[in-house]
Amino acid sequence: MIILYDRIKKTFFHREEPITTYAFAKDSFLLSSKASNQCYTFSISPRMRNRPAIPLVGIVSSKEGRNKYKGNFELFRSIQQDVEQSGGICFVFSPQDVLGDSIEGIMYNHDLHKWVRCLFPVPNVIYNRVPSRHAEQNQSYEKLLRFIKKHGIPFFNPHFFNKWEIYQLLSKNDELKAYLPKTELITDEASLSRFLATHQKVYVKHSLASQGKGIRLIEMDDRGGVLCKSIKKIERFVSISRLHQTYNEWFLGNQWIMQEAVPCKTVHEHRFDFRILVLHTGEDFRLIGIGVRMSQRQEVTTHVPAGGKIISLKEVADAETKKEISRIVQICGEELAKSFGYVGEFSIDLAPREQGGFVLFEINSKPMCFDEIEIETKRRKQLVRTFMTLSAQNSEG
C-alpha cells in the first residue's frame, strides 16, 4: 500500500482505490490522491482486515536545538520498518514537537535514504525513548504528558524508575520481599555506619543512576577501617568520617541508597547475574530474554562496559531457574502496573544467592539494547506486535 505525504498541504493521503477513505491513527483518516513532485512516498503492507485503522506509532526521543534529534536511530529505523511491514506508520519526535492536536516529527524515507519532516495526527501509541532523566524534567515533557492524557494514548513507559521508590514498592509485596536485599536511604554518617556494622559489606548507589554509574562496594575491617571499591579503583579510609569527607554528596538530599551485598553464586570465582527483559503484549507480561553477565576485572559490577563478560544462559540456569524467573517477572509487572499505570517494557537485574534462591537488585525502565542479537530481535518483534495490539484497542477511526 502506498502512502503519500503532501509537503505543501502537510497531510497524508493514500494511492489506492479512488474515493476510498481509510481510517488512520487515533481519530484521523486518509483520502485518495495522486502522487506529485511535492509528495514523499512511503510503502506499507496492505491494511489487515481485522485492524480497523492504519496504526500510527510515535517514538518520543529528545533533540538539541531545532533539528538535531538524539537517540538510537538504528533501533528507530528497524522499528519503523517492522511497523510498516505490519501495515502501520511510525515516526520519531521530541516533546517540543507537540503542536496543539498534531505532532511534528521525522520519518525515514527509503527512496531518498534520509529522515524527512512531516506533520502527524494523534498517534495510537507512543514509545518513550527519551534518553535522560534531565530531558523528562522540563515544560515540554509536561506538555507531552498532558497531550497523552487528553487523548488517552498508551505510553511506553511513563518515566525512568527511582531505585528507592521501586524498593519501597516491591517490599510491600510479601512474595517479592524475600528476594530483595536490605536497602535503606543514606541520611547521615550514623545511618551508613550502623548499616555497615549490620551487614559488613554494602553497595552504595544513586537512586537515579543506571548502568552501574557511581556504584561503590564498601567494607569495614575489624579496626574500623573502610575499604571503598569502585569500577576503577580501591580506596582505603581510616574511618567512616574520612569516607564522609571524601563522598559528602552521599549524605545530602536523600538521593543515595545503601544496599546489603548478598553473597551470590560464582562461575570460575567471578560473580554473575541475570539481565531479564520483559515486555507487555497488550494483554499480559512476557519474558523476552535472559542475558547473563559475569564480572571480570573487578567485582563491583558485571556491566560489560565496565569490563564484565557475556556468558551463556545454559552454563548457569536450568528449567527450574527459568520457571522461577518467569514467576518473578509476572509479579513485578503486576506491581509496577498498579503504581505506574501502563508499563510496556522493563528489565530486572537478578542473581542466584549462594545459599539458594535469588536476590533482586533492581528494575529498570527503558532498558538499553542487549548485546545478544537474538534477544534484541525478539524484543523488536514483540514491541511492534504490542504496538499493533494497543493501536487496535485505541483507534477511533
Side-chain angles (χ1 to χ4, degrees):
M1 182 175 185
I2 302 299
I3 303 294
L4 310 170
Y5 179 76
D6 191 311
R7 289 178 285 168
I8 304 302
K9 296 178 181 178
K10 295 188 175 181
T11 305
F12 284 92
F13 296 92
H14 71 83
R15 204 172 69 186
E16 300 297 299
E17 307 87 350
I19 313 175
T20 305
T21 300
Y22 290 111
F24 172 49
K26 191 177 191 307
D27 51 11
S28 189
F29 54 87
L30 297 181
L31 298 175
S32 174
S33 179
K34 293 183 179 179
S36 75
N37 57 4
Q38 298 299 324
C39 286
Y40 293 132
T41 302
F42 302 94
S43 179
I44 67 171
S45 292
R47 191 175 69 118
M48 295 173 67
R49 290 182 182 179
N50 63 345
R51 198 161 286 147
I54 296 169
L56 179 63
V57 176
I59 302 175
V60 59
S61 188
S62 64
K63 66 180 180 181
E64 294 175 351
R66 293 190 62 187
N67 299 312
K68 189 177 179 182
Y69 287 86
K70 299 169 68 177
N72 184 343
F73 279 84
E74 185 179 343
L75 173 66
F76 298 165
R77 274 183 61 183
S78 297
I79 291 174
Q80 179 185 320
Q81 187 170 347
D82 287 351
V83 169
E84 288 170 349
Q85 289 173 356
S86 298
I89 292 176
C90 180
F91 70 103
V92 177
F93 71 102
S94 77
Q96 297 97 301
D97 294 327
V98 176
L99 307 168
D101 287 333
S102 302
I103 301 178
E104 212 170 47
I106 56 174
M107 250 179 105
Y108 189 78
N109 187 284
H110 296 280
D111 294 334
L112 299 175
H113 305 291
K114 68 177 184 177
W115 293 85
V116 296
R117 187 174 294 278
C118 304
L119 186 67
F120 298 86
V122 177
N124 299 92
V125 59
I126 293 176
Y127 183 36
N128 184 359
R129 294 306 300 184
V130 174
S132 71
R133 297 176 194 276
H134 177 72
E136 288 187 346
Q137 297 169 346
N138 57 44
Q139 290 183 344
S140 296
Y141 191 78
E142 291 298 322
K143 181 182 175 183
L144 171 64
L145 294 181
R146 290 193 296 271
F147 176 88
I148 287 167
K149 186 176 181 180
K150 174 184 176 182
H151 294 286
I153 305 169
F155 189 38
F156 270 68
N157 282 306
H159 49 70
F160 282 100
F161 293 153
N162 177 300
K163 290 179 174 57
W164 176 238
E165 289 177 1
I166 292 296
Y167 174 78
Q168 289 178 299
L169 167 66
L170 300 183
S171 61
K172 292 175 184 175
N173 182 292
D174 290 338
E175 287 187 86
L176 292 178
K177 193 173 183 179
Y179 296 106
L180 302 176
K182 294 290 187 294
T183 304
E184 292 182 17
L185 275 178
I186 299 178
T187 54
D188 52 27
E189 187 179 309
S191 67
L192 178 57
S193 183
R194 185 174 59 252
F195 195 79
L196 193 53
T198 302
H199 300 289
Q200 285 80 53
K201 203 172 183 180
V202 305
Y203 288 103
V204 172
K205 307 175 180 179
H206 194 285
S207 291
L208 301 178
S210 60
Q211 297 177 287
K213 292 174 183 174
I215 188 172
R216 297 290 191 278
L217 181 60
I218 313 294
E219 298 177 56
M220 183 177 282
D221 62 31
D222 296 336
R223 295 172 294 178
V226 179
L227 202 63
C228 177
K229 298 179 181 179
S230 73
I231 293 169
K232 295 181 179 179
K233 62 182 178 180
I234 298 175
E235 300 170 284
R236 297 180 186 275
F237 299 91
V238 295
S239 66
I240 287 285
S241 294
R242 289 295 178 88
L243 176 71
H244 185 172
Q245 290 172 13
T246 302
Y247 292 102
N248 185 54
E249 67 272 16
W250 294 358
F251 305 86
L252 303 172
N254 291 336
Q255 290 294 305
W256 293 79
I257 61 171
M258 45 194 173
Q259 196 172 70
E260 166 195 11
V262 177
C264 294
K265 289 183 179 179
T266 60
V267 173
H268 309 305
E269 299 184 351
H270 290 290
R271 58 185 286 262
F272 67 92
D273 55 32
F274 302 114
R275 302 292 162 86
I276 303 155
L277 179 64
V278 186
L279 263 72
H280 197 264
T281 65
E283 297 172 352
D284 58 15
F285 291 98
R286 180 168 298 169
L287 196 164
I288 299 301
I290 304 173
V292 187
R293 304 291 180 267
M294 183 176 74
S295 62
Q296 284 281 94
R297 297 196 301 263
Q298 43 73 33
E299 298 299 313
V300 177
T301 177
T302 61
H303 287 284
V304 172
K309 180 183 178 182
I310 300 169
I311 63 174
S312 169
L313 182 63
K314 294 177 181 178
E315 288 186 54
V316 292
D318 56 17
E320 279 302 308
T321 298
K322 295 174 187 175
K323 185 178 178 181
E324 180 72 358
I325 289 174
S326 294
R327 195 178 72 85
I328 293 170
V329 160
Q330 293 298 327
I331 302 170
C332 288
E334 289 164 9
E335 288 300 323
L336 293 172
K338 284 179 193 174
S339 294
F340 302 123
Y342 188 75
V343 176
E345 181 182 36
F346 62 92
S347 64
I348 300 174
D349 291 354
L350 190 79
R353 293 176 184 259
E354 199 172 68
Q355 302 301 323
F358 295 95
V359 56
L360 195 165
F361 294 116
E362 57 190 65
I363 296 182
N364 302 293
S365 174
K366 294 190 272 189
M368 300 295 288
C369 291
F370 275 61
D371 294 293
E372 294 86 349
I373 294 173
E374 66 276 12
I375 294 178
E376 202 57 30
T377 301
K378 192 176 176 184
R379 171 194 197 173
R380 199 180 70 242
K381 298 294 184 185
Q382 182 57 59
L383 270 174
V384 173
R385 282 196 295 269
T386 303
F387 293 158
M388 297 298 105
T389 299
L390 292 174
S391 295
Q393 296 169 0
N394 192 41
S395 174
E396 297 176 3

